[in-house]
Structures are given as C-alpha cells and as structure tokens.
Amino acid sequence: MNDSSKKLSLTSSLLIGLAAVSIIASMFFPWWKMVFYAPQYPEGLNIIVYPNKLDGQIDIINGLNHYIGMSNFGEENFPELSYLIYIIGGLAGLTFITAVLRKRAVLYGLIVLFATGGLTGVLDLHFALKKYGSNLSPEAPIKIDPFIPPIIGENTVANFITHSLLGTGLYLIIAAFILLLIPLWKDRAK
C-alpha cells in the first residue's frame, strides 16, 4: 500500500473537519482592509473587504481619491465579490468531504487546490491595487506619481498614511490551511 492510499487517522480527520469549520467562519469576517490616516482624519478611514461586500467609509475615500485622479472603489468594480462566497462555501464542502473520506490523496489534492486559490487571490488583489494606483487621471487637481499600495504594510500618498492589514477572515483561512497541513506531518509514513 503506497503512502497516498493510506487512511488518515481519526484525529487528522477531526483536524480537517475543524479546518472546514474555520473556512465557513471566515465568510462572516473581514478578509482585508486598508486604513487611511491623515491630519484631518486622525481616527482613520477604512475600506473593509469581506468575501461578498465592501464596507467602511468608502464614499469619503472616493471623494478624496478624486483629487489624485484615482477611480472610485465600489462593489461593481470587484466582480469577485459576487461569486467568491460560493467558492469559499465549495472549498468548505470539499474540506468536509476530505475529512469524511480520510484519504491522503484527496487531502493532497485539497491542499493543492487551497494553495492555488490562495495564490490566485493574492495576485488578484495585487493587480486590483496596481490598477487603482497606477491608472490616475491626468486631469486630477493634485498630481502624484503612480503607486501600488501594498497588500500588507504601510504606504504614504500625499498627506495620507495607509495601512493594509489582513482581516480576521483571512486569519481563519490561514488557520484552516495549517490544520490541513498538520495531518501530513502527523500521519507521515513511519
């Protein structure tokens, strides 16, 4: 019997089931946010990204971004928000199926799918940020050089300091991924 056909232990199955619960829970929390600080906004302005919607002081931020020629943020500009929740639900379902089947080969496939989805999400966010920061209107009242806000970290544009942060939902997704990796170590061939 080769390594990939061996059954995972019951403990590993429970960890995979817990990963599925973590994935489902992630749908109810923000995945990412940007907080904009400036002298006139010391409390900060937020753009908060959930898997299916945007939240925060988006109207105020759009009004300010107009001055540097940046396009408006809005759910209509992020078609991913209309279907991402279904992909996450599907991933949770596949994770539950993996927990029930307890097959290594299925777990390997799930991990590859999970990692591919994560990489795709990071690239999608990077390209969206690049589009917003580098396609500035030449007719804008305030001229600034094009820029790419970081996915995680700090950026300064004019008198605004922007902090990009992971949200609770994404930490739950990271926890789920780690829970999927533990059985590979725990049930490794002796």
Side-chain angles (χ1 to χ4, degrees):
M1 187 183 273
N2 67 25
D3 184 49
S4 66
S5 63
K6 290 183 183 176
K7 284 262 189 185
L8 296 166
S9 69
L10 184 57
T11 303
S12 290
S13 180
L14 291 173
L15 289 171
I16 295 167
L18 186 58
V21 170
S22 183
I23 293 167
I24 290 170
S26 78
M27 295 191 286
F28 302 98
F29 293 96
W31 278 36
W32 186 78
K33 70 178 177 178
M34 291 181 83
V35 185
F36 301 81
Y37 295 100
Q40 64 272 39
Y41 296 101
E43 72 286 352
L45 299 170
N46 295 304
I47 292 178
I48 303 168
V49 181
Y50 288 82
N52 60 342
K53 67 178 182 176
L54 296 177
D55 202 359
Q57 295 88 16
I58 295 171
D59 290 340
I60 296 170
I61 292 167
N62 282 338
L64 294 167
N65 283 345
H66 164 77
Y67 291 107
I68 62 169
M70 186 179 278
S71 299
N72 284 343
F73 288 102
E75 290 178 18
E76 64 279 0
N77 298 328
F78 296 96
E80 303 89 340
L81 298 176
S82 67
Y83 59 80
L84 183 59
I85 202 85
Y86 301 109
I87 292 173
I88 296 164
L91 184 61
L94 289 174
T95 305
F96 270 123
I97 290 168
T98 303
V100 171
L101 294 177
R102 294 174 52 194
K103 292 186 178 179
R104 254 180 218 278
V106 176
L107 177 59
Y108 293 149
L110 179 64
I111 289 170
V112 168
L113 183 66
F114 209 106
T116 302
L119 180 61
T120 302
V122 167
L123 290 173
D124 184 56
L125 180 56
H126 169 75
F127 289 124
L129 292 171
K130 182 177 180 178
K131 179 182 85 173
Y132 275 97
S134 59
N135 294 327
L136 303 175
S137 171
E139 286 85 37
I142 299 172
K143 307 291 186 222
I144 64 166
D145 290 331
F147 63 98
I148 302 173
I151 292 175
I152 300 171
E154 184 178 296
N155 188 38
T156 302
V157 177
N159 67 334
F160 278 85
I161 297 173
T162 306
H163 295 273
S164 302
L165 311 159
L166 301 182
T168 302
L170 210 49
Y171 284 116
L172 287 167
I173 290 293
I174 292 167
F177 188 67
I178 292 168
L179 287 169
L180 293 178
L181 295 176
I182 291 172
L184 297 181
W185 172 80
K186 186 190 167 312
D187 292 350
R188 67 193 179 280
K190 304 288 186 216

